Amino acid sequence: MNEHDETPALYALNSTVEALAAALPTLPAPEQTRQLANLAWHQRERNSALALTLADQAELGLQHLPAHQALRSAWRLQLTRIDVRRLRNEAAQGEALASAVLNAAEAAGDWISAADSCWVLSQLATAAGNTPGCCTWLARGVGYAARAGDSSREQILQCSQARFAGFIDSDAAEQQWGDAFNQDSAAQPAPVAAAMQLYTALRAMRASKPSESVQAFSSVIEPLLQAGYIREAIIAQVNLGSIFNDLNDPQAALVWMERGLDLAQTHGWPSSIASCQMQLGETLRLLGRLDLAEQQLTAAKDCLAAWPESRNFAVVLNYLGKLALAKQQPEEARRLFTEMQVLGTHVDLRLTAQRGLAHALLDLGDLAQAEQCAQDALNNAVARGAGESEVELLLLLARIAQSRPGAPEGAGLPQLELARERAKTIVGYKNTSELLNALAKAYAAAGRYSEAFETSQLAANSRAQSLSRESANRLESIQLRNLSESARAQAAHLQQLAEAERQKAALMQSNNATLEKLGVIGQQLTQHLDMASVFAALSQHIPALLDARAFEIYLLDEEGQGLQSVFGLEDGEPIPTSHIALDAPSSNAARCARERAELSMQLAADGSDPSQVPGTMRTLSALFAPLLIGERLLGVVTVQSPQAEAYGEHERMVFRTLNAYAAIALDNARAYRHLQLAQSQLLAREKLAALGALVAGIAHELNTPLGNSLLMASTLEQRTVEVERAATSKALRRSELESYFSEAKAMTRLITLGLENAARLIGSFKQVAVDRTAEQRRPFDLALLCEQVAATLQASIRKRGHSLTLDIPPDILLDSFPGPFGQILSNLIENSMVHGFGERRDGEMRLSARLLKSEQVELRFQDNGLGISAAHAARIFEPFFTTKFGQGGSGLGLSVSHNIASNLLGGSLTLDSSAAAGSCFVLSLPLRAPRLAEEQAQEAGGQS
């Protein structure tokens, strides 16, 4: 079995999960257990508590599954519980348990379970702050998914690997992945498309492209929620808040972060709640709401303390340190930045910790330690090429130098000049005015007034540019806020549409039983090829599905000018037939036919409606529908009820469906009847033509023996006259008389032989002709019958220059139908001469027979003609198939022969494709043909 059939997707749409949940009660017990495990997996982020409940239920039924399915389902349940515990901050021993599942799945060659184990291990690693480990697990998972041939899993794992690699080294990640996932996501499965969109959003965010990142994050949130990436949807909303913070719009940032926090709190995931609180606290700090910021950041730190090596824990320490500096609590800031520096897991955050610690030490007045710390940070920034950090640290070193007691005039000027030169190399550096203002003050303190004036002018210009840039950022933020709200509104609209589709699907599912029943009825109707059976089936099913106390079927008459009632029932009793003109003004059936449209009628309760037929059931509701095949009108069907408003939309749908099936069935029945008539006429023509050819052949054959006999008789008559004349004249000699006697004996012998041949031919003709026309069963000798048939065809065979050899053992007796059997032989001989030999002469045909042990005889008819191609061999027994159409071939000879052999004689006629040359037909027959229904009826009648 394909493992794709037994394992769920890594992520699936809500609609898929809902359909799975709805189908569970209808599944047999073993399959229900397996799908319970799959449903638990899909609920791990949607509803963690439900996922655990489903997992417990599924575990109870594992013993009823086949061994390989039980093992895979057990692994799935284990991974589900591990992932739920991770989301709930209960990941104790999660890595060891997931690794055990991975090892077992790998040993069993279950690459999908192995890939999903790597996915869970990657999530455990990132939760613990081990981003490199996360990427390693994802890379392994990609390999397993590729081995399983699961492209969707492979792409989701690759997108995640690219995202997390960017947190380690954004430049290296960009170089490795870049535009790898920028292909048309609309062509991908929805969960894959959502993962690709999330990668695109984070990539734009890392590249400081706020417009692209806001659009990408705004449009991906709803797809993430629909595909079950609930945690990623929370992070996407928090990232949107961070982008608005960068655009100096903390109010908009606050809205998105609160949305993310609400979603995290709804699911009750501590780590997600903490991530939201952390970003929310930083936003509140930027807004100057320091006390509220401290509440959020402290709560986040308490939660994240369980993962002291995680990136989020380091970030929350950084935010708390900044908050302490803003609240003028340098000692608390020093403690927090020192703790952050000790962790040292993330290189970029280690540099941030050093810079923050230097600020705190400066505020504490420990200038030596502050300078040493800032210088170490500067060295790290230079080594990493972190330009903006270099400028900020040079500014900090300048402040430290200026803060020293008795600092000389112009203290810090070298650091400020270095900072200015470094800032010139940074594209889009934001704090140029602050740097130039500090440099102008340092120039003035050093007495370099001309440079101080020039620098202050530059600072003023930079400040103006900065204000303009902030205005532009504010405008962009407003635009992006509107864009994100528009995207959110569109997502809500799409969700409403999805809900409408879900309700529509539920309605369709509620009608499923009716639709299935209609399908079965349709099969029953269309399998009938006679109208009586179609009418009987309709009379059985229409009252069972509709309130149809009366229903009637009208068919268009031959002239196409009226409707003829062909079948109808009212309260189970037949309705007398009638004829309605198409232009009848008061007839709803005629109106329906004219308009070729369904009519739903509500008739007057007092019976005053002109279409109400006197003496019939009082009708209050009626449906009329045309029987159409494409645009071709066959007739009209009506159902009627004494109940008012009896036919709603559901009933009309049922009625339309039944009418469509009825139209097809009635059209098939009419076509079949016409086909039967056409076939009967063609068969009659074939039989008459065969008899005509038989008569012509016999006439030709009789011509020779009768002609010879006539010649001998006339010669004998002439010699007799001569002898008589000689005897009368007394001139007859003895020798002449003796010669006459001798000639007379010879001539009478020839006359007798010719007449005997003629009598034999006439006898054969009479027997064959009787057999062909009467089709009566009788015992016959096979060899004799074959000779008789061959004799009747010898003239035609010799005329065309061919020969027929018979090799039939004597004393093979059959109790069968000699006429139809002879027709088969005639058709085979004619087929060879027309199709096998064509214009060629000297063709050879051979008919042989052998008696089989199973009361069967096998006849083989072989010629040395052109043979039959493989393309034609498959169709030679089809009615009307011929390669000589328009050249004397009707396409019925072999078809009729095949039907006679199988249906009447109880045998078979086949083509032996192994013949080396020409064609060879094999006719297998029982020595006693099966009894016909008429014979059985006669026997039964004779016994009563």
Side-chain angles (χ1 to χ4, degrees), residues 180-196:
F181 306 107
N182 279 1
Q183 62 261 45
D184 182 14
S185 60
Q188 302 294 333
V192 176
M196 289 180 171

Side-chain angles (χ1 to χ4, degrees), residues 165-434:
F167 295 129
I168 301 172
D169 188 332
S170 59
D171 293 334
E174 180 64 23
Q175 185 175 1
Q176 180 178 359
W177 303 102
D179 295 325
F181 306 107
N182 279 1
Q183 62 261 45
D184 182 14
S185 60
Q188 302 294 333
V192 176
M196 289 180 171
Q197 290 175 268
L198 184 58
Y199 166 81
T200 301
L202 282 169
R203 184 183 176 215
M205 183 179 179
R206 286 200 300 264
S208 299
K209 297 178 179 178
S211 179
E212 289 183 27
S213 56
V214 166
Q215 292 184 59
F217 276 123
S218 299
S219 61
V220 80
I221 291 171
E222 185 59 29
L224 288 172
L225 292 171
Q226 287 295 317
Y229 297 94
I230 311 301
R231 187 171 179 276
E232 300 296 349
I234 294 170
I235 295 172
Q237 294 182 87
V238 172
N239 285 337
L240 270 171
S242 299
I243 297 168
F244 281 110
N245 271 338
D246 292 340
L247 292 171
N248 197 24
D249 188 357
Q251 292 291 350
L254 195 62
V255 171
W256 280 107
M257 289 176 178
E258 286 178 338
R259 287 175 181 168
L261 180 59
D262 288 344
L263 184 57
Q265 288 175 334
T266 297
H267 288 273
W269 299 334
S271 60
S272 296
I273 293 171
S275 297
C276 295
Q277 289 175 325
M278 176 180 71
Q279 297 296 341
L280 184 59
E282 174 64 4
T283 302
L284 290 169
R285 182 187 72 81
L286 294 174
L287 286 169
R289 299 162 70 177
L290 303 185
D291 292 338
L292 288 175
E294 185 173 14
Q295 292 177 12
Q296 296 293 334
L297 291 171
T298 301
K301 177 178 178 293
D302 292 342
C303 177
L304 294 170
W307 292 281
E309 295 182 356
S310 68
R311 182 180 181 85
N312 279 346
F313 186 69
V315 171
V316 78
L317 290 177
N318 177 39
Y319 288 167
L320 280 168
K322 289 181 180 181
L323 178 65
L325 290 175
K327 296 182 72 172
Q328 297 181 355
Q329 298 172 349
E331 182 58 39
E332 177 65 10
R334 183 193 66 77
R335 185 187 67 78
L336 290 165
F337 286 123
T338 300
E339 184 179 357
M340 180 181 173
Q341 189 176 15
V342 169
L343 295 175
T345 307
H346 306 278
V347 177
D348 57 334
L349 294 179
R350 191 187 315 143
L351 181 58
T352 301
Q354 288 178 316
R355 188 171 66 244
L357 180 58
H359 273 288
L361 291 170
L362 173 60
D363 290 350
L364 286 170
D366 191 347
L367 301 181
Q369 286 292 325
E371 182 178 19
Q372 182 61 49
C373 188
Q375 188 60 52
D376 291 342
L378 179 60
N379 294 337
N380 288 334
V382 171
R384 293 189 66 239
E388 292 193 11
S389 294
E390 290 180 46
V391 174
E392 291 178 14
L393 287 165
L394 286 168
L395 280 167
L396 181 58
L397 285 168
R399 282 182 57 199
I400 293 171
Q402 292 167 355
S403 299
R404 291 185 182 280
E409 295 179 351
L413 188 56
Q415 292 88 346
L416 291 171
E417 288 179 329
L418 285 172
R420 181 184 182 187
E421 292 304 313
R422 184 68 176 94
K424 289 178 181 179
T425 66
I426 302 172
V427 178
Y429 181 68
K430 298 178 181 179
N431 298 324
T432 304
S433 60
E434 179 185 349

Side-chain angles (χ1 to χ4, degrees), residues 508-783:
M508 291 295 292
Q509 187 173 8
S510 68
N511 291 331
N512 187 52
T514 300
L515 293 173
E516 287 183 1
K517 188 171 184 178
L518 285 172
V520 173
I521 293 172
Q523 290 178 346
Q524 293 178 359
L525 285 173
T526 54
Q527 74 183 7
H528 295 302
L529 290 176
D530 62 290
M531 289 193 179
S533 298
V534 175
F535 296 151
L538 287 172
S539 66
Q540 174 187 354
H541 295 299
I542 286 181
L545 293 171
L546 299 170
D547 181 4
R549 291 270 302 277
F551 82 93
E552 194 163 8
I553 300 173
Y554 299 88
L555 293 181
L556 197 65
D557 59 24
E558 294 294 333
E559 295 77 20
Q561 299 300 314
L563 295 172
Q564 179 66 45
S565 170
V566 293
F567 185 81
L569 293 175
E570 181 175 300
D571 289 330
E573 296 297 324
I575 297 175
T577 60
S578 61
H579 186 274
I580 302 172
L582 279 184
D583 57 0
S586 62
S587 170
N588 289 320
R591 177 189 164 194
C592 175
R594 291 194 303 270
E595 298 179 0
R596 302 195 178 194
E598 177 184 303
L599 301 180
S600 178
M601 314 293 297
Q602 301 300 318
L603 280 69
D606 59 3
S608 60
D609 192 281
S611 64
Q612 180 73 57
V613 179
T616 62
M617 178 191 73
R618 179 69 57 83
T619 299
L620 297 184
S621 301
L623 285 176
F624 292 82
L627 292 168
L628 294 170
I629 299 294
E631 294 297 321
R632 181 162 53 88
L633 179 69
L634 300 182
V636 172
V637 176
T638 178
V639 292
Q640 300 176 14
S641 168
Q643 303 295 323
E645 305 292 340
Y647 306 121
E649 181 56 38
H650 174 77
E651 287 74 19
R652 289 198 293 273
M653 181 272 292
V654 171
F655 186 55
R656 288 188 209 106
T657 306
L658 284 174
N659 285 344
Y661 287 133
I664 294 171
L666 291 172
D667 194 48
N668 288 345
R670 177 178 287 180
Y672 182 67
R673 186 177 62 191
H674 289 164
L675 178 62
Q676 284 180 316
L677 291 174
Q679 284 182 329
S680 298
Q681 293 172 357
L682 284 171
L683 288 173
R685 291 175 187 172
E686 284 277 313
K687 186 176 289 187
L688 289 173
L691 286 173
L694 184 63
V695 170
I698 287 296
H700 185 275
E701 284 295 302
L702 287 174
N703 187 57
T704 298
L706 290 179
N708 291 338
S709 297
L710 181 61
L711 177 62
M712 291 299 101
S714 62
T715 302
L716 179 60
E717 181 183 19
Q718 182 180 353
R719 287 288 292 137
T720 302
V721 169
E722 291 174 355
V723 169
E724 182 183 12
R725 187 182 298 119
T728 303
S729 62
K730 309 289 186 179
L732 180 64
R733 294 190 297 272
R734 184 179 181 86
S735 61
E736 289 180 358
L737 185 59
E738 290 177 352
S739 174
Y740 169 73
F741 289 154
S742 176
E743 290 175 2
K745 287 181 182 180
M747 282 186 281
T748 54
R749 190 164 52 249
L750 288 173
I751 290 170
T752 302
L753 182 62
L755 292 177
E756 286 177 350
N757 285 338
R760 181 175 55 81
L761 285 172
I762 291 171
S764 295
F765 170 72
K766 286 173 61 180
Q767 186 62 61
V768 170
V770 168
D771 286 340
R772 293 283 179 90
T773 55
E775 294 187 359
Q776 293 293 318
R777 173 197 290 271
R778 68 175 177 86
F780 60 89
D781 181 276
L782 180 63

